[in-house]
Amino acid sequence: MEFSEHIKTANVEDVVLRRPFYQPTKGTLCVTGHHLIFSNRGGDSARPFLLLLRNIDAIEKRPSVSSGTITLKCKDLCVLQLDIPGMEECLNIASSIESLSSLETVSEMYPFFYRPPFLSLQDQWGLSSTEQHYAQMKEIHDGWRVSQVNRDYSVSPSYPPAVIVPHSIDDETLVKAARFRQGGRFPVLCYYHRETGTVIMRSSQPLSGANRKRCREDELLLQAVIDGSELGYIIDTRSSQQAQQARMTGGGFESKSCYRGWKRLHRQLEKGKVLQESLIKLVEACGDQSHSVDRWLSKLENSKWLSHVQTALSTAGLVAECVERDGHSVLVHGSEGTDTSLLVSSLAQLILDPDSRTLAGFLGLLEREWVQAGHPFQQRCAHSAYSHVRLRHEAPVFVLLLDCVWQLARQFPLAMGFSEPLLLRLAKEVYASDYGTFLCNSDQERCVTGVKERTHCLFQSLLRANERQHYSNPLYERTELAIWPSIQPPSLQLWKGLFLQWTDDALHLVEAQKVIQNLVSQCHRPLNEKVENTDG
Amino acid sequence: MMEHIRTPKVENVRLIDRTVSRKATVGTLYLSATHTIFVENNPETRKETWVLHSLVASVERPPTTPSGSHLVIRTKNFQVLELLVPQERDATDIHASLARLSRPEKYSELYCLSINPTANKEEREESWSFLDLQADYRRMGVPNNLWVGTPANSEYRVCDTYPSELFVPKSATPPVIVGSSKFRSRGRFPVLTYFHQDTLASICRCSQPLSGFSARSQEDEQMMQAIMKANPGSEYIYVVDTRPKLNAMANRAAGKGYENEDHYTNIKLQFIGIENIHVMRNSQQKIIDIKTPSMGDFLWGLESSGWLKHIKAVLDAGVFIAKAVAEEGVSVVVHCSDGWDRTAQACSLASVLLDPYYRTMKGLMLLIERDWVSFGHKFSHRYNHLDGDPKEVSPVIDQFVECVWQLSEQFPCAFEFNERFLIQLRRHVYSCQYGNFLGNSQKERRDMRLRERTYSLWPQLWKDRAQYVNPLYRADHTQTQGMLRPNTTPYCFKMWKGMYNRLEKSAPPRHSPADLLTAVREETQQLEQELTNHQEVAPRGTAHSGTKQGIQTPKSKMKRPGRPAPSTGDGSVDSPPHDYRSTQRGPPDPAMTLPLGPPKGSDPDDLSSACSDIESGVIDLSSRSSSGGDDCKDPESDEAIYCPAWSGTRGPDTGRLPC
């Protein structure tokens, strides 16, 4: 298909662009297959302004007789305005943007065309595979093995080809256990805690249904996990009522009598529509220009976003506490096992595991627990907070994760190897990206559409030397200890860096970050120089 | 005071950790003339908890239980101390003693006057000359050919709540001054508080006019005219009435009110709408009472307390004045009712916004000394120094201090001091350990001869400035120069956790990047020093292994326990995880409270470090070396007594999960 079909007017002169932090500028607007390009006339050396069409969440046009105004509300929460001379041009541009920004075919998306000079398609796509990850963890080789049972994605379409399972469980048992779990997502290992030898696993809900069906193999699998110890915990991310109701539609939960030694705890985490609406309300509240504090606080409360942050961190804290303080293994699941389960398991790992708090470690965690584990990015992040499109599968689960990680990093400013700009970059990339990392809904889809061969990997790119510098935390000081977040309401704050990033307020904080960076480097540099001089 | 102490010492008292599963430590309770002191029996730690009597807000005695009598002490610092006393008779005695000791009836009972201060006359005198208000007026270019000093109020003849030295427009003659004073509530006529050299605009302050429905005063009108004329660049002045308009109108019925724009030529009247002291008192109480683990309830409580709304109103007033002066070049006359509460808030905030100097430690001290102390803010009434009318009490300066904090959150590089400095400042407003804030006016302080009988706080804060420095402060930074233009959109205001939730033990206060940077800096300086020493010893150094090692591992050195900001996980070693188990609607979270008081010698708040030279009555305890170990060096140890708070729902043997 040709993009040009959608482009009714490719170029308009004398367009005025208004965007945060900049004076309105006049220039030429150009629509291409994937971008809006705005360039300043008059030999201005400034680089043209480039906007990925995929980033546009909502478009509002106000045509008048001789000109028109288009307001673009982006998925990164930025709001831009274009004043376009000529009503027809205005309408043409608007309709081009509308159709191009909502193209759904994965292989037509920009990552398939993005070819930066500093990356090669020959590079490995992704940071690590399950096998490589397993190979690094020598301590689990006795009790755990890599299973290729899903190599052709037939056991679980949303799982990666290889997963880590208890050594004593053979593939045949896995296949049967998978039939008893929604989407075939049988329990797999995501974290092994060296000190206690206990693990965090995740899965989807068991399909016990209204008749309380059982599955011997599924029970065996879980039995093998806590073999030798007396207790394990199942953290169900639904309320017990929701879990009961799920039986009516074929889902369910692990009953006490069938899974001996496993105790079930319910912690209700919102997802789906509720979460998406929460984000929409929060963004709306942040854009409210009213000067009433009461109104702001009431809207903030009403959005419930911070409550979701609190619940997620508190549930992750609970999982981490079971593992590290009580020395019991944990299985996390909700219903599909592709949203809240991933949220909780990855936050728990950040709390417990210093390796996951380095820049590379964190990206590795995201790759394992979100990309490979089959979080349906394409469905969840199709639209953000401004879109008028009716909600289907959208839900900002990943943004909620990033917010929780930001809260952790704020409470432990030295413990994380990465900085806030990384979280902000990820929050932007997950909705619209030059890279293929967040395309598709599963590993299988990524293979089918050739994402791994024909796009570049964001994580690889973020680990290049100069990027790494930018996204590292200058205050980082590795700690081997668990970092237990405070979940008291006053300890949890609105993430201004994300939700208010287009206000002046955020600018001051960015400046402060720079000062910190300079301070740290200044404190160390002169000294090192002096030492060198002394030595010489 | 000693006569009020019925029982100086009670043994086998339990200090109940309200943050934990009601776990208690056994120890001995002492009552001194100035402090309640709890000393742990545990010979290993012998941890001491000190509570200054003047900081005690209330002592409650819940009904006696079989295990003994409870005493709950709440402090003006928002801390709570719960004691279990075995004998009911002892509890009654302590309760009665404390009730009396914490409510002094005479100034002479207050800490700074009840101890013997003549010990070092020179030092004391020097402490009072640490700040020079007149020098600050000179710094802003006053007196000059527009503003002159007036002797009108020497011996406080015209206004007994004003300072004796005042600046007025050059053209304001003594009859105008006296006439204007007669037309103003409590004689508080318009005088200069800040002069802006760049625009020649000024900020003046006064009280409300006695205008009623129709009264007018020629002299007062001339005074306002003179203020306008003292700013050659402008044709009018703003009169900022910081009250809600409705309140101002209601005052007219009592023969007071606001300026009639028909009578005064060239004034523009502006109402800001800061609520009165009673509203503020109730609002603060509500914010203190928010104790909920649920985010929804917390935000609802925050909203219904109205506190942040009031903070915003105060800041809005400051912003309006600062903008008028710096951007429009128009002079502003500020008043409320009496001109000593809201007016002090608005004027001092405007100064902070306008003049970078007031964002330094010394500058802020001077500002408080000028706009609050010298201009007769009623410290003893507002902060309940003596047992008095509870309706006079109100957190007026708390709000100013909080506004400065909110600004510092928005402009992290603009202030020389950190949050700790502000908290400490506020504490001393209440504590009466120094003479600065006693009484309600300059005249009262003079009559009490406080300069001869007490010490000044300022040099002490200055001496400890190392712990109050904001490492991000940059005098040359764009944020730091000129006027601050804060964003006052509601989302910019948040609850001051460091002030109101000092009790909650989470990592942030100890692990702030600022603290780390301070540590890095100190470390660097120290290493540089070592380096210099080595260079002196061996200029052509062979391998200075010691030095080099030190330099290669500056970070590891910072891990030394007791540093302000040790490695992040540090807190988690001794602090078990938070209570992730209780469901949100559980009982009020116990973690909101903390047993008072740090180990002796560790608390910057504490007497021993604050003014050890004039300490008395408690020597026997303070002389013992502090036993809290490394904690003692932690200036934040106030917050940092890491008790196993988060295991609240389960003891070691009940450590099973609820299912």
Side-chain angles (χ1 to χ4, degrees):
Chain A
M1 189 209 64
E2 287 294 318
F3 295 117
S4 56
E5 287 169 23
H6 298 283
I7 304 173
K8 293 177 182 155
T9 303
N11 274 295
V12 191
E13 302 280 332
D14 294 327
V15 172
V16 176
L17 169 69
R18 297 168 202 277
R19 55 178 170 141
F21 311 137
Y22 291 89
Q23 294 296 323
T25 39
K26 198 175 244 192
T28 306
L29 182 74
C30 179
V31 185
T32 73
H34 294 106
H35 289 97
L36 275 189
I37 304 167
F38 181 87
S39 49
N40 225 338
R41 282 190 317 177
D44 196 324
S45 61
R47 280 192 305 169
F49 170 71
L50 206 64
L51 180 72
L52 208 52
L53 289 167
R54 183 90 195 145
N55 190 6
I56 295 169
D57 204 26
I59 169 166
E60 287 160 18
K61 47 184 186 284
R62 263 177 294 130
S64 66
V65 184
S66 62
S67 69
T69 299
I70 295 178
T71 304
L72 300 175
K73 298 185 168 178
C74 299
K75 293 171 185 169
D76 61 9
L77 307 182
C78 184
V79 178
L80 315 162
Q81 196 183 305
L82 297 166
D83 298 341
I84 298 172
M87 185 178 74
E88 200 189 327
E89 279 84 354
C90 175
L91 291 174
N92 283 349
I93 295 279
S95 80
S96 306
I97 294 176
E98 262 164 9
S99 48
L100 287 168
S101 64
S102 53
L103 291 181
E104 295 281 341
T105 317
V106 173
S107 59
E108 287 175 1
M109 287 178 185
Y110 186 61
F112 285 87
F113 301 85
Y114 179 59
R115 295 292 174 263
F118 48 82
L119 291 171
S120 154
L121 286 179
Q122 263 64 61
D123 296 341
Q124 178 189 340
W125 199 95
L127 302 176
S128 174
S129 65
T130 307
E131 289 85 348
Q132 286 164 325
H133 183 58
Y134 176 83
Q136 281 162 6
M137 298 189 294
K138 297 255 172 347
E139 63 275 10
I140 70 167
H141 290 188
D142 284 344
W144 300 80
R145 68 183 182 94
V146 172
S147 165
Q148 314 272 5
V149 70
N150 198 39
R151 71 181 74 80
D152 55 359
Y153 305 104
S154 60
V155 176
S156 167
S158 62
Y159 264 173
V163 291
I164 303 174
V165 293
H167 220 293
S168 55
I169 300 298
D170 59 23
D171 282 359
E172 203 177 320
T173 314
L174 292 177
V175 171
K176 286 182 181 152
R179 284 194 206 121
F180 188 62
R181 294 275 171 180
Q182 183 171 1
R185 297 174 70 92
F186 55 89
V188 296
L189 179 97
C190 44
Y191 174 65
Y192 178 85
H193 190 251
R194 290 191 193 93
E195 286 73 28
T196 58
T198 52
V199 296
I200 301 176
M201 318 259 301
R202 55 176 159 73
S203 68
S204 60
Q205 64 178 340
L207 301 174
S208 44
N211 304 327
R212 299 177 184 277
K213 270 188 300 194
R214 294 179 60 166
C215 171
R216 183 81 198 115
E217 289 75 13
D218 191 62
E219 290 164 23
L220 269 177
L221 173 51
L222 284 187
Q223 190 56 48
V225 173
I226 54 167
D227 192 29
S229 92
E230 79 283 18
L231 195 62
Y233 286 103
I234 294 169
I235 309 291
D236 192 324
T237 62
R238 304 164 295 180
S239 68
S240 56
Q241 205 182 5
Q242 284 172 327
Q244 288 284 356
Q245 280 165 359
R247 284 175 40 219
M248 299 308 136
T249 49
F253 51 88
E254 296 82 355
S255 74
K256 223 174 190 172
S257 52
C258 310
Y259 295 84
R260 284 232 314 272
W262 285 91
K263 277 195 171 181
R264 204 158 23 82
L265 297 175
H266 291 275
R267 288 290 182 277
Q268 187 185 349
L269 268 70
E270 296 297 347
K271 54 176 197 166
K273 215 174 189 171
V274 177
L275 208 54
Q276 182 73 14
E277 270 162 8
S278 172
L279 177 75
I280 292 171
K281 280 183 189 166
L282 178 67
V283 169
E284 200 268 319
C286 289
D288 186 348
Q289 292 301 311
S290 113
H291 285 280
S292 154
V293 176
D294 287 354
R295 191 170 144 147
W296 156 248
L297 287 173
S298 141
K299 284 188 159 193
L300 182 62
E301 184 208 337
N302 194 252
S303 80
K304 300 263 188 300
W305 181 261
L306 284 173
S307 302
H308 301 320
V309 169
Q310 188 188 33
T311 314
L313 278 172
S314 142
T315 308
L318 175 66
V319 170
E321 200 181 358
C322 292
V323 169
E324 134 130 331
R325 304 194 71 82
D326 296 347
H328 296 304
S329 290
V330 179
L331 168 69
V332 186
H333 72 72
S335 35
E336 294 95 339
T338 53
D339 295 286
T340 51
S341 320
L342 310 182
L343 177 66
V344 170
S345 78
S346 34
L347 284 174
Q349 290 180 62
L350 279 166
I351 292 173
L352 291 172
D353 182 10
D355 290 336
S356 71
R357 297 183 216 133
T358 65
L359 178 60
F362 177 60
L363 295 178
L365 178 77
L366 294 183
E367 183 176 76
R368 279 198 313 279
E369 291 294 286
W370 292 80
V371 179
Q372 291 171 357
H375 177 66
F377 282 105
Q378 197 184 340
Q379 292 179 352
R380 297 293 179 258
C381 300
H383 293 284
S384 173
Y386 292 124
S387 174
H388 305 300
V389 177
R390 213 164 57 87
L391 291 181
R392 283 178 307 171
H393 305 293
E394 286 83 357
V397 193
F398 190 71
V399 175
L400 181 60
L401 170 88
L402 295 175
D403 195 335
C404 292
V405 176
W406 177 80
Q407 306 280 354
L408 273 175
R410 204 190 63 81
Q411 292 190 16
F412 298 90
L414 319 187
M416 303 294 195
F418 49 89
S419 61
E420 180 173 1
L422 178 78
L423 300 175
L424 292 172
R425 170 90 188 258
L426 290 169
K428 186 182 163 106
E429 297 279 346
V430 76
Y431 283 101
S433 180
D434 294 345
Y435 298 90
T437 302
F438 296 125
L439 290 179
C440 302
N441 296 305
S442 66
D443 199 67
Q444 184 183 20
E445 286 185 23
R446 270 184 288 273
C447 283
V448 171
T449 49
V451 167
K452 293 182 181 185
E453 291 82 41
R454 292 164 54 207
T455 75
H456 293 289
C457 168
L458 173 68
F459 298 152
Q460 291 279 12
S461 172
L462 292 176
L463 287 175
R464 287 177 300 130
N466 51 344
E467 298 272 313
R468 192 186 265 270
Q469 163 95 18
H470 181 208
Y471 293 119
S472 292
N473 173 11
L475 299 176
Y476 177 57
E477 192 178 316
R478 185 183 169 105
T479 171
E480 297 303 318
L481 300 164
I483 51 170
W484 302 105
S486 165
I487 49 159
Q488 291 303 303
S491 302
L492 302 174
Q493 290 188 359
L494 177 71
W495 185 9
K496 280 194 181 174
L498 179 65
F499 297 109
L500 299 170
Q501 66 179 310
W502 304 106
T503 65
D504 291 343
D505 217 28
L507 274 190
H508 298 311
L509 301 181
V510 171
E511 279 179 48
Q513 284 300 321
K514 278 187 203 145
V515 172
I516 292 182
Q517 201 133 23
N518 289 341
L519 205 57
V520 171
S521 55
Q522 268 169 19
C523 278
H524 290 122
R525 197 186 306 125
L527 205 59
N528 288 336
E529 283 165 10
K530 275 186 197 168
V531 175
E532 277 161 25
N533 292 341
T534 315
D535 285 349
Chain B
M1 294 298 274
M2 297 302 283
E3 71 269 20
H4 303 305
I5 302 172
R6 298 197 193 174
T7 310
K9 179 179 170 188
V10 184
E11 287 181 346
N12 292 319
V13 171
R14 280 160 197 275
L15 175 65
I16 296 165
D17 188 338
R18 291 167 66 95
T19 65
V20 192
S21 49
R22 321 278 306 157
K23 237 168 72 181
T25 42
V26 185
T28 306
L29 188 75
Y30 298 89
L31 279 189
S32 83
T34 53
H35 287 80
T36 305
I37 306 140
F38 178 84
V39 185
E40 247 181 48
N41 282 353
N42 185 342
E44 302 239 314
T45 53
R46 300 284 289 173
K47 201 169 83 187
E48 297 169 15
T49 305
W50 291 56
V51 186
L52 195 66
H53 294 327
S54 53
L55 279 179
V56 171
S58 72
V59 189
E60 289 157 35
R61 246 195 89 193
T64 305
T65 63
S67 51
S69 302
H70 285 265
L71 285 176
V72 181
I73 303 174
R74 292 175 200 281
T75 77
K76 295 173 181 174
N77 281 11
F78 316 117
Q79 297 175 316
V80 184
L81 186 78
E82 186 172 348
L83 299 165
L84 180 62
V85 182
Q87 299 294 324
E88 190 177 354
R89 193 173 45 86
D90 287 335
T92 316
D93 282 353
I94 294 168
H95 182 250
S97 306
L98 266 181
R100 177 62 186 82
L101 290 166
S102 64
R103 276 196 206 83
E105 289 163 0
K106 300 192 295 280
Y107 284 116
S108 59
E109 293 172 17
L110 289 175
Y111 183 89
C112 62
L113 285 168
S114 64
I115 48 161
N116 176 16
T118 51
N120 191 340
K121 188 164 173 250
E122 260 171 46
E123 200 182 312
R124 193 192 63 237
E125 280 171 2
E126 215 178 276
S127 83
W128 285 107
S129 56
F130 179 74
L131 290 187
D132 182 354
L133 264 191
Q134 296 309 310
D136 191 47
Y137 281 110
R138 286 197 294 279
R139 186 190 62 85
M140 52 173 124
V142 173
N144 53 33
N145 58 355
L146 301 167
W147 294 89
V148 294
T150 170
N153 202 38
S154 63
E155 291 307 309
Y156 311 101
R157 279 181 311 221
V158 178
C159 173
D160 62 356
T161 59
Y162 263 179
S164 54
E165 289 168 319
L166 292 167
F167 292 94
V168 292
K170 200 170 187 181
S171 61
T173 58
V176 166
I177 292 174
V178 173
S180 168
S181 149
K182 288 195 176 131
F183 190 63
R184 292 277 167 180
S185 201
R186 301 184 193 262
R188 294 170 68 95
F189 60 98
V191 295
L192 181 81
T193 161
Y194 181 72
F195 179 75
H196 194 247
Q197 290 186 74
D198 298 346
T199 60
L200 304 182
S202 59
I203 304 173
C204 294
R205 58 184 290 172
C206 57
S207 60
Q208 62 185 338
L210 304 175
S211 48
F213 291 103
S214 58
R216 57 192 290 188
S217 154
Q218 206 184 359
E219 290 89 348
D220 195 60
E221 288 160 25
Q222 284 170 352
M223 183 59 134
M224 296 298 231
Q225 193 67 15
I227 289 170
M228 192 201 86
K229 291 258 170 66
N231 178 5
S234 90
E235 323 233 287
Y236 61 94
I237 57 172
Y238 283 111
V239 174
V240 170
D241 190 328
T242 55
R243 299 168 294 183
K245 188 167 185 186
L246 216 59
N247 301 19
M249 286 167 73
N251 263 294
R252 292 201 296 185
K256 298 165 187 173
Y258 53 93
E259 290 78 1
N260 184 332
E261 280 173 288
D262 297 337
H263 298 165
Y264 294 81
T265 41
N266 308 321
I267 68 164
K268 288 192 182 177
L269 196 58
Q270 175 77 32
F271 293 94
I272 300 276
I274 305 176
E275 297 289 347
N276 65 28
I277 58 169
H278 313 295
V279 174
M280 300 308 191
R281 179 177 55 242
N282 294 335
S283 171
Q284 192 186 42
Q285 191 54 51
K286 283 187 194 154
I287 201 173
I288 297 167
D289 289 343
I290 303 177
K291 291 185 176 66
T292 164
S294 142
M295 183 59 82
D297 290 351
F298 168 75
L299 290 173
W300 186 83
L302 199 57
E303 180 194 337
S304 64
S305 79
W307 182 255
L308 292 180
K309 179 172 71 186
H310 300 316
I311 294 293
K312 175 172 154 56
V314 174
L315 190 57
D316 281 337
V319 169
F320 179 87
I321 299 166
K323 278 191 172 160
V325 168
E327 291 175 0
E328 297 181 57
V330 175
S331 294
V332 186
V333 175
V334 187
H335 71 72
C336 46
S337 299
D338 290 317
W340 51 43
D341 292 318
R342 288 169 274 201
T343 302
Q345 291 176 329
C347 290
S348 50
L349 261 175
S351 286
V352 167
L353 294 170
L354 283 168
D355 192 336
Y357 181 61
Y358 297 120
R359 296 170 220 145
T360 65
M361 269 184 233
K362 227 172 176 174
L364 191 72
M365 295 177 191
L366 272 163
L367 187 62
I368 288 175
E369 195 63 37
R370 183 186 78 213
D371 277 345
W372 295 80
V373 178
S374 88
F375 276 109
H377 176 63
K378 304 203 293 173
F379 279 96
S380 277
H381 285 166
R382 294 291 176 263
Y383 313 112
N384 214 10
H385 291 162
L386 300 182
D387 196 22
D389 182 359
K391 287 215 169 66
E392 280 282 316
V393 179
S394 186
V396 185
I397 203 166
D398 294 33
Q399 292 183 316
F400 165 68
V401 171
E402 178 162 340
C403 284
V404 175
W405 177 79
Q406 301 275 2
L407 285 173
S408 72
E409 284 288 290
Q410 212 174 114
F411 301 97
C413 308
F415 292 84
E416 188 193 24
F417 44 80
N418 58 21
E419 173 181 34
R420 216 176 277 148
F421 182 70
L422 295 172
I423 291 176
Q424 193 68 349
L425 240 171
R426 178 200 170 275
R427 179 191 190 274
H428 282 295
V429 164
Y430 287 83
S431 79
C432 299
Q433 277 169 277
Y434 296 88
N436 301 63
F437 307 117
L438 253 54
N440 297 302
S441 67
Q442 199 181 67
K443 180 169 183 291
E444 277 187 36
R445 279 185 290 276
R446 190 199 58 171
D447 294 346
M448 280 192 270
R449 293 185 297 111
L450 287 178
R451 288 180 175 234
E452 294 158 43
R453 300 164 64 202
T454 68
Y455 281 80
S456 165
L457 164 69
W458 307 124
Q460 189 58 46
L461 284 182
W462 185 247
K463 209 170 89 193
D464 299 335
R465 65 185 175 280
Q467 49 176 300
Y468 302 132
V469 168
N470 167 18
L472 299 188
Y473 175 63
R474 286 285 168 279
D476 52 353
H477 199 272
T478 45
Q479 278 185 30
T480 318
Q481 288 171 337
M483 183 185 156
L484 286 188
R485 288 180 178 76
N487 183 349
T488 58
T489 316
Y491 58 63
C492 295
F493 296 86
K494 53 189 174 194
M495 172 152 168
W496 190 0
K497 185 164 164 270
M499 176 66 81
Y500 295 105
N501 284 68
R502 323 183 60 191
L503 319 172
E504 195 222 332
K505 286 174 244 160
S506 75
R510 305 181 77 198
H511 304 298
S512 78
D515 280 344
L516 175 86
L517 288 168
T518 312
V520 170
R521 237 192 203 170
E522 277 172 22
E523 202 75 41
T524 314
Q525 278 161 4
Q526 195 184 328
L527 292 172
E528 273 181 340
Q529 189 58 47
E530 277 176 34
L531 192 63
T532 320
N533 293 346
H534 274 269
Q535 281 167 333
E536 277 164 10
V537 175
R540 293 204 165 270
T542 49
H544 304 305
S545 58
T547 314
K548 254 193 108 177
Q549 244 174 12
I551 287 157
Q552 282 165 344
T553 57
K555 282 193 167 182
S556 66
K557 277 184 104 179
M558 285 183 326
K559 283 196 174 170
R560 263 196 318 252
R563 275 312 183 99
S567 80
T568 32
D570 212 72
S572 46
V573 197
D574 26 13
S575 72
H578 303 209
D579 186 359
Y580 302 115
R581 286 158 199 238
S582 66
T583 48
Q584 287 203 359
R585 301 264 165 189
D589 194 270
M592 303 292 281
T593 58
L594 170 87
L596 255 214
K600 176 73 177 135
S602 64
D603 183 6
D605 287 359
D606 194 278
L607 162 79
S608 66
S609 56
C611 52
S612 51
D613 46 343
I614 50 173
E615 188 176 350
S616 75
V618 285
I619 299 290
D620 53 332
L621 284 160
S622 63
S623 60
R624 180 164 49 247
S625 66
S626 58
S627 42
D630 294 321
D631 260 357
C632 298
K633 286 165 208 118
D634 187 344
E636 274 294 316
S637 57
D638 215 29
E639 274 82 337
I641 306 166
Y642 272 81
C643 309
W646 304 100
S647 55
T649 48
R650 83 200 146 120
D653 42 7
T654 56
R656 300 279 78 95
L657 290 152
C659 207

